[in-house]
Amino acid sequence: MKLPMSRNSRVLARLRTITPGFYRESVVKNAVYLQASNIVMSVMGFVFWTLAAREFPKSEVGIATVILTSASLISSIGVLGLDSSLVRFLPTSEEPQEHFAATLSLTLAASLVAGVGYLALAPTLSHQLRLLADDWTHAIGFLGFTSTIVACAVLQSTFIAKRRALMVIISNSLFSVLKICILPLLIALGTFGIVMAGWGALLVSLVFGAVAVRKLFGLRFQLTRHFSALRRVRAYASSLFAGGMISSIVVAAIPIIVLDRLGAAAAADYYIVLSLATILHILASTTGQSLLAEGSHSQRLLHSTFRRASIHIFSILVPLALIYILFGHYLLLIFGQSYAAQGTGLLRILAAASPLVALNYLGNTLANIRRMNKLFVAISSFNALLIILFSFLLVGQGLDGLGLAWLMAQAATVMAYAVVFRRELGAFVHGDDAASHTTT
C-alpha cells in the first residue's frame, strides 16, 4: 500500500523535479559554468595574493596591483567592445572565421596603440609608475601582457558565443594554477615578478584556447587586414567600447588615486579587498554574459529568462555577502594583520553594495540585448562620474570613504535603471513573456 506523503516530503519531491530542470536551462547552465570558472580564478587568486602578500614587501605588492589594473584598463580599451560583440553576433554570423580573425587582429592592434600611449603617460599619472617607462624590458613586458589579455578575452568570448562555457573553466583553471606555481620562482624580480607570473600563465592559457577553438569550431587563430565582417557590429561595438572603457577608467583610476593620496601600502590594502569583493560581482557579470548570449539567439522569452537569471544570482549572492559582512575580518587575516586592520571596513561596505552592483549588471545586459546603445553609454558614464566624484570627495576618510563612494554611486545607478525600465518591472519580476517589450 502506498503511504501518503508528508508535507515536507512533498516539498522535497517538488524541489527535485524543479531544480534539475532549472539548472538545465541554457542561460543558467552556461552562467553556472562561467561562475565556476571565475570562482576557481578567485579562489586561486586568493592563494596567489596570499603568497604575494607574505613573500613580497607591501609597497611592491601595491605598485604591482596598480600595474595590473592599468593592464586591465589597456586591454579594455584594446578590445573595442568587440569581445562582447562576438557573443552577440558570432552565433548568427555567415562568415565566422572572417569575423573571428578580424576581431582578433583589430583588438591586438588597438591594445598595442593604447599600451604605448599609457607608457608615455605613466610617469605623469604617478611617479611610482616611472619604472614602466624607464626600463625598455619592463615596457615590452607590459605591452606583451596587455596583448595576451586581449587575445584571451577574444577566445573566451568565442567559447561563450558558441555555448561552450565549460572550456572557459578549463582555460581559467590552467591559468590560475600555473601563476601560483610560477610566482615563487620570480621573487627576486620584485614588483615585476608578480606581473610576470601572471603573464607566463596567461601565455599557456592562450595556446590552449587557440587549439581549442580550432578543434571545436574550426576557427583558426590568425590575423587579417580585412575587416568587412565587422561592419554590422560597428554601432553595437562602439557603445560597448564606450561603456566598457568608462568602467575600466574607474577601475584603473581609483588605485592610482589611492597610490597617490594614501600610498603604496594602502594601494595593496585596496586591491586585496577589491579582489575579494570581485567574487561577489562575478555572480552577476557571468550570468549577464550568459543572458546576453541567450538573448542574442532569441528575445521571445526574455522576461522569463531574465527572471531565472536574477533568481540564480541573488540566491547565491545574498548569503555570500552576509558571510563577508560577518566574517570578512578573518578572511583578511589570512593575508596579514595589517590587511585586516586596514581593509575590513571597506570589505563590509563593498559586500553591502553587491546586490546593487548585480542589479546594474542586469540593467547593462538588458540594454545591450535591446541594442539601446545610447542608454548603455549614458548610464555607464553616469555611474563612472559618480564613483570618481565621490571618491575624490571622500578619499580623505581613507579606504572606508572609497567604499561609501562606491555604494552611493551604485544606488544612484540602480534608481536610474528603475526609471528607464519602470513599465517592464512587473514583467521581469513575474517572468511574463506576454507583456510588452516596449521601453521608455
Side-chain angles (χ1 to χ4, degrees):
M1 183 177 67
K2 187 176 180 180
L3 296 175
M5 296 176 68
S6 69
R7 181 179 179 182
N8 289 340
S9 299
R10 288 195 300 271
V11 171
L12 289 173
R14 178 61 176 162
L15 285 175
R16 282 194 291 268
T17 60
I18 293 175
T19 304
F22 179 76
Y23 282 97
R24 281 195 298 266
E25 293 286 348
S26 181
V27 65
V28 177
K29 182 176 68 176
N30 282 292
V32 168
Y33 283 146
L34 292 174
Q35 285 160 10
S37 169
N38 283 280
I39 287 170
V40 167
M41 287 189 67
S42 297
V43 171
M44 293 299 180
F46 184 87
V47 175
F48 178 84
W49 285 110
T50 300
L51 182 61
R54 294 182 179 276
E55 297 295 335
F56 292 79
K58 201 172 185 180
S59 59
E60 290 184 353
V61 174
I63 296 172
T65 61
V66 174
I67 292 173
L68 291 172
T69 53
S70 299
S72 177
L73 168 64
I74 299 308
S75 63
S76 295
I77 294 173
V79 295
L80 301 173
L82 292 172
D83 56 336
S84 293
S85 296
L86 274 175
V87 178
R88 180 67 179 83
F89 292 100
L90 188 62
T92 57
S93 176
E94 297 179 357
E95 301 175 319
Q97 174 59 49
E98 290 76 7
H99 192 153
F100 175 76
T103 298
L104 183 65
S105 303
L106 193 57
T107 54
L108 286 174
S111 70
L112 286 173
V113 172
V116 170
Y118 181 84
L119 289 174
L121 292 174
T124 305
L125 296 173
S126 175
H127 71 279
Q128 298 193 67
L129 294 176
R130 186 174 294 277
L131 80 166
L132 285 174
D134 288 349
D135 188 324
W136 67 269
T137 59
H138 290 170
I140 291 176
F142 181 78
L143 293 176
F145 184 41
T146 55
S147 298
T148 308
I149 294 174
V150 166
C152 287
V154 170
L155 290 172
Q156 294 203 357
S157 292
T158 303
F159 290 134
I160 296 169
K162 295 290 189 178
R163 295 176 175 176
R164 297 297 292 269
L166 179 61
M167 300 306 299
V168 179
I169 299 179
I170 299 172
S171 177
N172 285 345
S173 298
L174 183 64
F175 162 72
S176 300
V177 171
L178 283 176
K179 72 176 182 179
I180 294 172
C181 296
I182 295 171
L183 183 63
L185 305 177
L186 302 178
I187 291 175
L189 297 179
T191 293
F192 255 82
I194 299 173
V195 177
M196 294 297 288
W199 185 23
L202 205 59
L203 284 171
V204 177
S205 178
L206 174 64
V207 172
F208 168 80
V211 172
V213 296
R214 178 66 182 270
K215 295 290 186 181
L216 293 173
F217 316 125
L219 299 175
R220 298 182 302 279
F221 192 88
Q222 64 182 29
L223 303 180
T224 183
R225 293 179 294 173
H226 305 289
F227 305 107
S228 58
L230 300 180
R231 286 176 182 169
R232 75 181 184 122
V233 310
R234 188 162 46 196
Y236 181 82
S238 296
S239 68
L240 287 177
F241 168 67
M245 187 173 67
I246 290 165
S247 299
S248 297
I249 287 173
V250 171
V251 170
I254 303 305
I256 292 175
I257 292 172
V258 175
L259 180 65
D260 193 55
R261 298 281 295 275
L262 303 178
D269 293 325
Y270 177 81
Y271 189 87
I272 293 298
V273 170
L274 190 64
S275 297
L276 290 174
T278 299
I279 296 174
L280 302 177
H281 304 162
I282 283 168
L283 295 168
S285 64
T286 51
T287 304
Q289 286 178 305
S290 181
L291 181 60
L292 176 61
E294 201 69 24
S296 300
H297 286 272
S298 173
Q299 294 189 38
R300 187 172 56 88
L301 302 176
L302 181 59
H303 286 146
S304 57
T305 304
F306 189 95
R307 182 176 183 272
R308 287 194 296 273
S310 301
I311 291 172
H312 175 67
I313 290 172
F314 288 102
S315 64
I316 302 172
L317 175 62
V318 173
L320 266 181
L322 288 174
I323 290 172
Y324 272 37
I325 291 170
L326 296 174
F327 304 109
H329 178 78
Y330 301 103
L331 287 173
L332 289 171
L333 278 175
I334 297 173
F335 297 95
Q337 181 65 45
S338 63
Y339 288 97
Q342 301 298 322
T344 299
L346 175 61
L347 182 59
R348 287 172 175 163
I349 296 170
L350 294 181
S354 60
L356 300 174
V357 175
L359 290 172
N360 288 326
Y361 271 121
L362 289 170
N364 290 342
T365 301
L366 181 58
N368 288 327
I369 291 173
R370 296 277 178 78
R371 301 191 190 186
M372 302 169 73
N373 302 333
K374 293 180 180 178
L375 171 69
F376 175 69
V377 173
I379 291 191
S380 296
S381 302
F382 174 70
N383 180 263
L385 179 64
L386 289 182
I387 292 173
I388 293 176
L389 175 62
F390 291 152
S391 294
F392 269 114
L393 293 175
L394 298 174
V395 69
Q397 298 181 28
L399 296 180
D400 288 359
L402 296 175
L404 290 173
W406 177 263
L407 176 64
M408 291 189 294
Q410 300 307 321
T413 306
V414 168
M415 288 189 284
Y417 267 128
V419 170
V420 171
F421 295 116
R422 61 190 181 278
R423 293 188 178 180
E424 287 186 280
L425 290 180
F428 284 124
V429 169
H430 298 102
D432 182 8
D433 291 314
S436 171
H437 286 192
T438 304
T439 63
T440 58

